[in-house]
Amino acid sequence: MQVRLVAYRSISWLSRLRQFFRRRRLRLLLWSAGLLLLLSVAGDMLFPVPARIPYSQIVTADDGQVLSAYLSTDDKWRMRTELDDISPLLREAVIFKEDKYFYYHPGVNPVAILRALFNNLVQGRKTSGASTITMQVARLLEPKERTYASKLIEVLRALQLEWHYSKDEILRMYLNLLPYGGNVEGVKAAALLYCGRMPDHLSLAQIVALSVIPNRPTSLRIGRNNEAILAARNKWLRRMGAEGLFDAGQIEDALAEPIDMKRRSLARRAPHLALRLHHRFPDRAVIPTRLNLRIQNKVRTLSYNYVKRLKSWGIHNAAALVIDNATRGVVAYLGSADFSDKRHAGEVDGVKAVRSPGSTLKPLVYALAIDEGLVTPKSVLNDVPINIGGYAPVNFNRKYNGTVTAEQALARSLNVPAVSLLQKVGLPSFLDRLSDAGFRQIAADRDKLGLSAILGGCGVRLEELAGLYVALANGGRHLPLKYRRDDTVASAQALMTASAAYMITEILCQLERPDLPATYQSSVHVPRVAWKTGTSYGRRDAWSIGFNKRYTIAVWLGNFSGEGTPELTGADIATPLLFKLFNSLDYNSPNDWFAPPPGLDFRIVCTASGQVPSDFCDDQALDYFIPGVSSNRSCDHRRRVMVAHDETHSYCTHCRPDVGYKQKLYDNVSPELAAFYDAERIAYSRVPSHNSSCTRVFDAGRPRITSPVAGNEYLIERGDSTRIMLSCLASQDVTNVYWFVDDMLVGSAAAGERIFIHPHPGDLKISCSDDRGRNADISVKVTYY
């Protein structure tokens, strides 16, 4: 009994001892696991994966084709391969050759390591490797001398990579880092440089050929050792066929395919846009644009050939943009006709260059005038010499028409009506709209600009003008142009109403206009286009910008040097190229045109004034107008005047006799128009001079002094015989005017006649009185030096 008790106690003690060690071993294992995890986390933090790979930047078209590429910061051709670039063929071939169990191991394949160790020990030299794709990525990220210590680091790095990245991401890194000799790395760079195509367009033979080179990039040098590459490729193709990776037909076709790989030059298409985006986004590996290569190539070819024919006239440069109106995407970008023409600064980007716009801004001021109710297309405007604060604009041909309709003035690009209209609209409003439309140089120079801005006295860029006309094609709503596929959508700016945009569009598509090129009739087919031309001062810039429902095309021609040439005009030089581009890009257009917006209506107007007809208006026409906005003023192009039966003089209600007079209709012309008619000897019904015995003094209709300009200072060199001209505009009923300087009579003249004086220095008061007793005064300063 006692022996049993001792035995039981011994067994119980041993059981407790075993449980103690079992619990301690578990605790030790847990502590060891925790310590290992802690060391792993600490090691990961202290030695992070060097996964930042400097890539070559590529700029692509809308279909993914490469436009241009640039070396990486470490001077490598290493182009980022995306997951979408990895075709199933490429994935299967690479994994089969390099790491069959890639998707099953944690970055390290223990079986492969043991097999390689055994083979190497038996053979006494290295006969096989055990590196997985993940381990190769670790080695490519941190190249080191091949030692057992380096291999251990690769193992640790492989585990670290698997911790941080998915299998597809690791495969992508591997394909991005594969060495192909020289400074070429990665399968995308190799595919483009050696095969001339993207990785997802490679054949099976090309994929396998590219997969064997990285193991021996020096001995399998493309272009030098193609026979060795062919042998290595076919060896692996047969292995893949034997393993059933690909069917027999695919293997047979791949084996029959010759090796035609050689080093190719990378494409350099749309170089100005590519450089622009490269400088703006230097850290992006891929910049996808909206360029359509078919359209880009047509624009480049047509422009290049067109400029070649102009070189004999001293015109060497051109720039063009084509915009898809629906998306605002730039589908063609031509900075110059020949980027390689260093003699004529072909590397200059004409799309971004600041140039004088000529008359291309005029449609905006007419649209603003329409929206303010100042004009409609049939409104009659004066086209006569004017002087606004010393600024006297003239038309391009230095001729005047007397009166024109607003649509004629815009279609014929007349300068004087545009300046007069801008004065009524207000320069600040005009500049505000241009700033809203993204005209950066105009916004910067705002305080320096005057009324001459409407005629080209400002700086603009081709892309800014293109954006303005895209807004016309989109009902007056402006959005920034989109160069990249991932450009975000901004909020639209309303530059004008849809009604105003439609009226301007209808005016700009008229064919009866002087800026229609002589070659137009020889064009086989030109889609319906609304367009506007512009020619800068000195004939340094020729512009033509047109649009239809589908595209807006903006064209500039000239010299980047700023040199002008007599032949350089928007109508004769730029518009033929514009029509060529439309004819090429939109030849089969269905001619779908813009529909009138809901807020637009028709009305009958008098053709002599463009106003609502009065009872004396015989000639009438239909005109667009905006209800509630356009003026409802009745026509006043004629007025009834009380005159003597012999029509020698007129009466007012103050001096009208009881009998012996009659009422007669006379042309109601402004003083400026009357002066023009008199100077040009154009007949019009002039109101007879007022009754000389009338004692009433009229305040309305007083003379308007046009020279000198009120408030100006005149500098005259001492001893110079320079004189100052005195001139005014007077009412029709005035025969003579009288001029005073500091209230001293200096001369009299017929209405509209000019006189000249030698002024004394200092502040002068200039006065003009007509024969009806009406008076006007201005002040000027004269300084002798």
Side-chain angles (χ1 to χ4, degrees):
M1 184 73 180
Q2 190 171 2
V3 173
R4 286 182 192 169
L5 181 61
V6 170
Y8 172 77
R9 286 176 179 172
S10 298
I11 294 170
S12 176
W13 180 81
L14 288 173
S15 176
R16 286 197 299 271
L17 188 63
R18 278 197 298 271
Q19 289 176 5
F20 169 76
F21 279 112
R22 191 179 294 120
R23 286 197 297 269
R24 188 161 183 174
R25 189 163 56 246
L26 179 61
R27 233 184 256 115
L28 183 62
L29 287 173
L30 290 174
W31 274 102
S32 300
L35 181 61
L36 182 61
L37 180 62
L38 183 62
L39 289 173
S40 300
V41 172
D44 185 63
M45 294 176 65
L46 292 173
F47 305 99
V49 177
R52 180 173 174 79
I53 305 170
Y55 290 107
S56 302
Q57 186 181 81
I58 59 172
V59 183
T60 62
D62 63 343
D63 60 355
Q65 293 191 59
V66 176
L67 297 175
S68 287
Y70 302 92
L71 285 169
S72 64
T73 54
D74 57 349
D75 294 328
K76 301 281 190 182
W77 287 118
R78 185 192 299 114
M79 300 171 188
R80 181 180 177 122
T81 303
E82 302 295 343
L83 293 174
D84 292 341
D85 297 328
I86 306 173
S87 66
L89 280 178
L90 178 60
R91 185 189 301 265
E92 290 173 16
V94 168
I95 291 175
F96 176 83
K97 180 180 177 300
E98 296 296 331
D99 189 357
K100 292 181 181 179
Y101 302 101
F102 173 67
Y103 285 104
Y104 305 102
H105 61 65
V108 178
N109 188 341
V111 176
I113 291 176
L114 292 174
R115 184 186 67 245
L117 183 62
F118 175 78
N119 291 336
N120 293 343
L121 288 173
V122 169
Q123 298 293 331
R125 59 186 177 86
K126 183 177 179 180
T127 60
S128 63
S131 293
T132 63
I133 285 177
T134 313
M135 291 171 66
Q136 292 184 61
V137 170
R139 183 173 65 248
L140 291 169
L141 286 172
E142 292 181 299
K144 290 182 175 64
E145 185 179 351
R146 295 200 175 189
T147 63
Y148 286 108
S150 299
K151 184 63 68 175
L152 177 60
I153 293 174
E154 282 179 25
V155 169
L156 296 175
R157 283 295 194 195
L159 295 172
Q160 192 178 15
L161 284 167
E162 294 277 350
W163 189 354
H164 284 279
Y165 299 101
S166 68
K167 288 290 186 179
D168 284 343
E169 288 173 328
I170 293 170
L171 180 61
R172 188 188 66 186
M173 278 194 279
Y174 175 71
L175 294 175
N176 281 327
L177 293 168
L178 286 173
Y180 284 92
N183 67 340
V184 180
E185 290 186 5
V187 70
K188 179 181 278 191
L192 288 169
L193 286 166
Y194 297 135
C195 303
R197 60 184 65 185
M198 297 291 280
D200 55 345
H201 286 72
L202 294 173
S203 67
L204 177 60
Q206 290 171 326
I207 287 172
V208 177
L210 290 179
S211 70
V212 302
I213 294 171
N215 299 118
R216 296 156 54 197
T218 304
S219 59
L220 297 180
R221 192 72 176 266
I222 293 176
R224 294 182 186 176
N225 310 103
N226 281 9
E227 291 299 323
I229 296 173
L230 179 64
R233 183 202 73 179
N234 291 347
K235 170 187 170 184
W236 277 100
L237 280 170
R238 291 188 183 96
R239 281 191 187 180
M240 292 173 183
E243 292 284 342
L245 186 65
F246 304 111
D247 63 51
Q250 287 178 294
I251 297 296
E252 185 178 345
D253 291 341
L255 288 169
E257 186 175 317
I259 290 284
D260 62 348
M261 294 188 296
K262 60 182 179 180
R263 180 66 180 260
R264 293 170 167 83
S265 297
L266 284 169
R268 200 173 191 186
R269 295 172 283 205
H272 295 91
L273 175 62
L275 275 170
R276 173 179 183 165
L277 296 175
H278 173 63
H279 291 143
R280 186 175 177 187
F281 306 101
D283 297 327
R284 296 200 178 183
V286 181
I287 302 179
T289 73
R290 295 173 180 262
L291 248 59
N292 181 303
L293 271 181
R294 179 187 64 83
I295 297 176
Q296 176 72 21
N297 291 335
K298 282 186 177 182
V299 171
R300 198 263 176 196
T301 301
L302 288 171
S303 301
Y304 177 81
N305 293 334
Y306 186 73
V307 171
K308 278 179 65 176
R309 298 199 298 270
L310 300 179
K311 289 185 181 294
S312 60
W313 289 344
I315 302 169
H316 301 286
N317 300 114
L321 276 180
V322 181
I323 299 101
D324 185 321
N325 290 331
T327 64
R328 265 88 166 188
V330 175
V331 295
Y333 187 114
L334 188 76
S336 71
D338 186 0
F339 184 82
S340 61
D341 184 7
K342 295 185 180 296
R343 183 179 178 185
H344 300 106
E347 293 180 0
V348 172
D349 189 349
V351 172
K352 296 194 302 179
V354 177
R355 314 288 299 192
S356 167
S359 298
T360 53
L361 297 177
K362 287 177 182 174
L364 178 59
V365 77
Y366 280 86
L368 296 179
I370 288 172
D371 281 335
E372 291 187 17
L374 298 176
V375 297
T376 57
K378 293 290 193 296
S379 295
V380 175
L381 308 174
N382 285 345
D383 179 28
V384 297
I386 58 173
N387 189 308
I388 304 173
Y391 176 51
V394 295
N395 290 326
F396 186 76
N397 60 4
R398 299 189 175 276
K399 296 179 181 179
Y400 303 92
N401 299 279
T403 60
V404 290
T405 63
E407 62 182 356
Q408 289 172 336
L410 177 56
R412 296 164 64 181
S413 196
L414 299 176
N415 292 341
V416 174
V419 172
S420 299
L421 210 53
L422 177 56
Q423 186 187 29
K424 294 177 183 177
V425 168
L427 183 62
S429 296
F430 177 65
L431 298 179
D432 285 344
R433 289 295 189 279
L434 290 173
S435 296
D436 291 342
F439 285 76
R440 302 191 300 278
Q441 193 63 40
I442 286 179
D445 296 339
R446 181 188 181 97
D447 295 338
K448 307 174 187 176
L449 300 179
L451 295 175
S452 63
I454 192 63
L455 305 183
C458 57
V460 304
R461 297 171 175 84
L462 180 66
E463 59 186 347
E464 296 167 349
L465 284 174
L468 176 62
Y469 284 77
V470 172
L472 278 170
N474 282 277
R477 293 175 294 107
H478 178 269
L479 281 169
L481 300 183
K482 298 174 183 175
Y483 296 101
R484 299 177 299 131
R485 277 213 306 266
D486 52 353
D487 276 337
T488 55
V489 178
S491 57
Q493 290 278 355
L495 303 182
M496 64 197 79
T497 63
S499 297
Y502 180 80
M503 284 189 260
I504 296 300
T505 300
E506 289 297 289
I507 293 171
L508 294 180
C509 69
Q510 294 179 10
L511 297 180
E512 296 180 6
R513 48 198 279 187
D515 61 351
L516 185 70
T519 57
Y520 170 71
Q521 294 298 336
S522 63
S523 298
V524 178
H525 174 73
V526 176
R528 189 179 182 186
V529 176
W531 85 97
K532 182 73 185 74
T533 62
T535 306
S536 67
Y537 179 77
R539 301 200 178 197
R540 295 180 174 89
D541 306 277
W543 307 84
S544 192
I545 306 151
F547 61 93
N548 60 11
K549 196 73 179 291
R550 190 175 183 186
Y551 294 121
T552 292
I553 302 179
V555 168
W556 170 88
L557 287 106
N559 294 303
F560 290 141
S561 64
E563 181 183 357
T565 180
E567 293 80 10
L568 190 63
T569 65
D572 296 328
I573 298 299
T575 301
L577 178 57
L578 178 77
F579 283 2
K580 282 177 180 290
L581 294 175
F582 266 113
N583 197 28
S584 174
L585 303 182
D586 216 19
Y587 184 85
N588 293 318
S589 168
N591 265 337
D592 182 26
W593 197 243
F594 304 93
L600 192 63
D601 207 345
F602 284 103
R603 69 180 178 186
I604 295 175
V605 297
C606 173
T607 57
S609 66
Q611 298 169 339
V612 177
S614 297
D615 56 357
F616 49 74
C617 297
D618 299 323
D619 298 323
Q620 300 176 1
L622 278 176
D623 189 20
Y624 287 114
F625 81 109
I626 305 176
V629 175
S630 301
S631 172
N632 290 323
R633 182 178 173 183
S634 296
C635 178
D636 58 356
H637 85 280
R638 308 197 80 187
R639 62 180 175 131
R640 289 183 173 85
V641 180
M642 295 176 289
V643 296
H645 280 302
D646 58 4
E647 301 180 10
T648 56
H649 54 274
S650 60
Y651 299 110
C652 65
T653 55
H654 180 74
C655 65
R656 179 189 64 190
D658 294 332
V659 293
Y661 73 92
K662 63 180 181 179
Q663 288 192 347
K664 184 177 178 180
L665 286 171
Y666 287 89
D667 291 334
N668 185 20
V669 298
S670 65
E672 297 94 335
L673 189 57
F676 173 76
Y677 284 162
D678 292 340
E680 297 293 324
R681 289 179 166 73
I682 298 174
Y684 67 100
S685 57
R686 181 166 186 158
V687 176
S689 60
H690 199 70
N691 178 17
S692 58
S693 61
C694 180
T695 59
R696 182 180 176 185
V697 177
F698 294 88
D699 183 60
R702 66 177 61 192
R704 190 164 85 244
I705 299 173
T706 57
S707 178
V709 178
N712 277 13
E713 180 180 4
Y714 291 83
L715 302 176
I716 302 175
E717 188 176 356
R718 293 187 185 277
D720 195 348
S721 59
T722 299
R723 296 181 296 170
I724 289 182
M725 181 180 72
L726 304 180
S727 65
C728 72
L729 295 172
S731 296
Q732 292 185 56
D733 57 352
V734 173
T735 304
N736 295 299
V737 295
Y738 305 90
W739 291 96
F740 299 84
V741 176
D742 290 340
D743 298 325
M744 298 292 294
L745 180 67
V746 295
S748 63
E753 184 182 352
R754 304 167 181 175
I755 68 171
F756 296 85
I757 63 169
H758 287 287
H760 62 76
D763 295 324
L764 306 181
K765 175 186 175 185
I766 308 291
S767 304
C768 179
S769 298
D770 63 20
D771 51 16
R772 299 305 306 143
R774 293 169 293 199
N775 184 74
D777 301 318
I778 65 168
S779 296
V780 297
K781 183 177 183 179
V782 176
T783 302
Y784 285 86
Y785 64 96

